[in-house]
Amino acid sequence: ADEVSIFYERGRLPEGLQSQVEGMTELGYVRAWLVTPNGRIALDSSNILNGREIPGFDPSDPPTFYRTGRFYGLFTTDMLSVLAPVTSNLQVRGYVVLHIFLQSVRDSANRMLGVFHLTALILFLLSLSLLLVLHLTVMRPLKKITDATIQFGSGNRNASISLKQKDEIGFLANTLDLMAQDLARSEDYQRRFIANVSHDFRSPLTSIKGYLNAIIDGTIPPESQEKYLRVIIQETDRLVNLTQGVLSLNSLERENMHLEASDFDICQLARNVCYAFEGKCLRRGITFDLVFSSVSIPVHADMGRIQQVLSNLIDNAIKFSRDHSSITVSIQTMRSKALITVKDHGIGIPKKDQAKIWTRFFKSDESRGKDKEGTGLGLAIVKEIIAAHGETIDVVSTEGVGTEFTFRLPLAKAESRPE
């Protein structure tokens, strides 16, 4: 009785101990035993081996913490047995032994390994899919962008990335494509600009050099030298005008929208510009018709730049007007804008050339034949100035009838009309 007293209270199992031991089977254990120090089974959860002696159980050599097998021949199949000593006052008073089928443990382990392997396979496939997605959506596009950038850097402006993605990488690729196109257009423009400038400078310089050599070597007699010196001065003026035109365009591009805007009378400005060309018009019998909706029409703009616009348009009109014709300068108000029109009755602009007249250095065949002093920059300057004011300029022209240029300027605040 002493050897099992650790498990009893007043000769009976403590309340609930029996149910606790039996309840262990519900947690997956096959058997739960309470064993005395000398190897007698005090309590078997299955109530089969209660009171049975464990053969070969040596109290002086207690079993290991766990063991596999048939546990001293008490089972007919291999079991996994786990022992835990019950101590009191530093003495072993008994053991709690739990048994479970070894095959059940192996089956559980195999099931767990199967779940682990399946989980590992799923994680591997997910990782592989993620890597594939990253390769297709990030790595490969970045490789294309890198290759295209290297080609851009080596001078191949025709390289294209051509990504159809609508994310940040696609936006970057499209931006690089646009940058490459802009660089290609810029380089093409620079080549054409240099070619045009070289052509327009070479012609007057060749004439100047030729006439000077002819004067020096006596090919041109002294009595004719004055005539050719005047031609040299004329060609020199052409070079000066060309240089001033190029500088003016570059200045406009640098300043961009930085205009010195103020309120001024556009009608008075138009009169002053026409007066400046009066001498040139008298020699050819050309007259001005000034048609203003009011005596004074204040506008808000850069007066100096608008004077340059009117001067270029009127000078252009005079160049291509027939002798004894008229040039009409019309200024009308329309809501909050002043509508300015310069119209001539000259040779007109061929339809095929009308879209090109704003291009720098462009001069139609008729212009070259009639106007040897033109630089082809006047209308380009006009367009830049009007664009800097946030407005546009339009042209209507018919060959043999004439040309009409029209642009708008904002009225001064006090002159704005209601919609």
Side-chain angles (χ1 to χ4, degrees):
D2 292 338
E3 62 185 11
V4 297
S5 62
I6 188 66
F7 301 120
Y8 292 86
E9 293 179 359
R10 299 178 182 178
R12 298 177 57 188
L13 286 172
E15 184 178 355
L17 180 59
Q18 174 75 30
S19 61
Q20 290 176 11
V21 172
E22 293 177 352
M24 292 181 183
T25 59
E26 298 178 2
L27 299 176
Y29 299 103
V30 174
R31 289 280 188 91
W33 292 352
L34 299 179
V35 180
T36 64
N38 63 357
R40 186 166 65 88
I41 301 173
L43 178 64
D44 181 359
S45 61
S46 61
N47 294 316
I48 296 175
L49 299 177
N50 289 334
R52 179 79 175 267
E53 295 288 342
I54 300 175
F57 189 86
D58 185 1
S60 63
D61 184 20
T64 56
F65 183 71
Y66 72 92
R67 63 189 300 171
T68 58
R70 301 190 177 185
F71 203 77
Y72 300 99
L74 294 177
F75 296 101
T76 59
T77 184
D78 290 341
M79 308 289 285
L80 172 63
S81 302
V82 179
L83 295 87
V86 179
T87 61
S88 176
N89 296 324
L90 301 178
Q91 293 184 355
V92 177
R93 301 297 187 180
Y95 302 93
V96 175
V97 186
L98 302 178
H99 306 281
I100 189 171
F101 286 108
L102 188 60
Q103 186 61 43
S104 175
V105 174
R106 289 170 179 165
D107 291 343
S108 297
N110 290 334
R111 284 195 299 272
M112 293 181 65
L113 284 175
V115 172
F116 173 77
H117 291 155
L118 180 60
T119 303
L121 178 61
I122 292 174
L123 290 176
F124 174 76
L125 293 176
L126 287 175
S127 301
L128 186 63
S129 301
L130 180 61
L131 288 175
L132 182 61
V133 170
L134 287 175
H135 174 74
L136 294 176
T137 60
V138 178
M139 302 305 297
R140 190 164 70 174
L142 286 178
K143 178 76 166 51
K144 293 180 69 175
I145 292 175
T146 302
D147 293 342
T149 304
I150 292 173
Q151 293 187 53
F152 294 158
S154 63
N156 180 14
R157 304 292 185 246
N158 295 322
S160 177
I161 302 175
S162 300
L163 289 180
K164 296 182 179 180
Q165 296 178 216
K166 295 183 178 180
D167 54 9
E168 289 79 3
I169 294 179
F171 177 76
L172 174 62
N174 292 333
T175 303
L176 289 174
D177 271 341
L178 291 175
M179 181 187 71
Q181 294 171 12
D182 288 341
L183 286 174
R185 283 194 294 267
S186 177
E187 290 181 353
D188 182 62
Y189 168 76
Q190 289 178 3
R191 286 192 294 268
R192 289 187 288 107
F193 179 84
I194 293 173
N196 289 330
V197 170
S198 299
H199 178 275
D200 281 75
F201 271 88
R202 184 175 61 247
S203 179
L205 287 173
T206 301
S207 298
I208 292 171
K209 181 180 179 181
Y211 289 135
L212 288 175
N213 286 334
I215 291 174
I216 291 172
D217 61 23
T219 302
I220 298 176
E223 61 272 13
S224 301
Q225 288 181 3
E226 182 179 352
K227 171 185 175 181
Y228 291 100
L229 287 174
R230 292 186 182 277
V231 174
I232 291 174
I233 293 175
Q234 182 179 350
E235 292 297 296
T236 304
D237 288 339
R238 181 181 171 189
L239 286 175
V240 171
N241 291 335
L242 180 62
T243 304
Q244 289 177 342
V246 172
L247 292 175
S248 180
L249 276 173
N250 288 338
S251 175
L252 284 172
E253 289 181 345
R254 276 198 316 273
E255 293 173 7
N256 197 11
M257 293 298 292
H258 300 292
L259 302 173
E260 297 180 3
S262 61
D263 294 345
F264 62 92
D265 184 3
I266 186 65
C267 296
Q268 186 58 47
L269 181 64
R271 294 187 192 99
N272 294 339
V273 174
C274 291
Y275 292 153
F277 286 97
E278 190 173 5
K280 190 174 182 179
C281 292
L282 286 174
R283 291 193 294 270
R284 296 178 52 195
I286 297 174
T287 59
F288 287 106
D289 291 333
L290 304 181
V291 182
F292 303 153
S293 62
S294 301
V295 175
S296 175
I297 301 178
V299 296
H300 186 76
D302 188 320
M303 182 175 176
R305 294 299 188 187
I306 299 304
Q307 182 177 3
Q308 190 176 3
V309 168
L310 288 173
S311 296
N312 284 342
L313 292 178
I314 292 174
D315 184 49
N316 221 45
I318 294 171
K319 290 175 184 176
F320 302 111
S321 288
R322 297 184 178 87
D323 293 345
H324 307 291
S325 62
S326 65
I327 296 173
T328 302
V329 179
S330 172
I331 303 176
Q332 309 293 324
T333 57
M334 180 181 294
R335 296 186 177 90
S336 61
K337 303 287 185 181
L339 199 66
I340 300 100
T341 300
V342 177
K343 179 178 180 182
D344 65 61
H345 300 84
I347 62 175
I349 303 171
K351 189 173 182 180
K352 63 182 178 65
D353 292 337
Q354 290 183 16
K356 305 175 185 177
I357 61 175
W358 312 108
T359 305
R360 298 178 180 188
F361 302 104
F362 175 79
K363 293 187 286 187
S364 64
D365 293 337
E366 289 81 359
S367 172
R368 287 189 180 275
K370 190 174 182 65
D371 176 29
K372 295 293 186 181
E373 299 179 358
T375 63
L377 293 173
L379 291 179
I381 293 173
V382 166
K383 185 177 181 180
E384 291 286 349
I385 293 174
I386 297 302
H389 283 80
E391 303 290 344
T392 58
I393 183 167
D394 304 312
V395 60
V396 177
S397 184
T398 304
E399 285 190 84
V401 176
T403 303
E404 178 179 310
F405 289 93
T406 302
F407 65 94
R408 296 169 179 79
L409 291 176
L411 292 172
K413 293 290 186 180
E415 296 295 319
S416 298
R417 305 292 192 266
E419 291 292 336

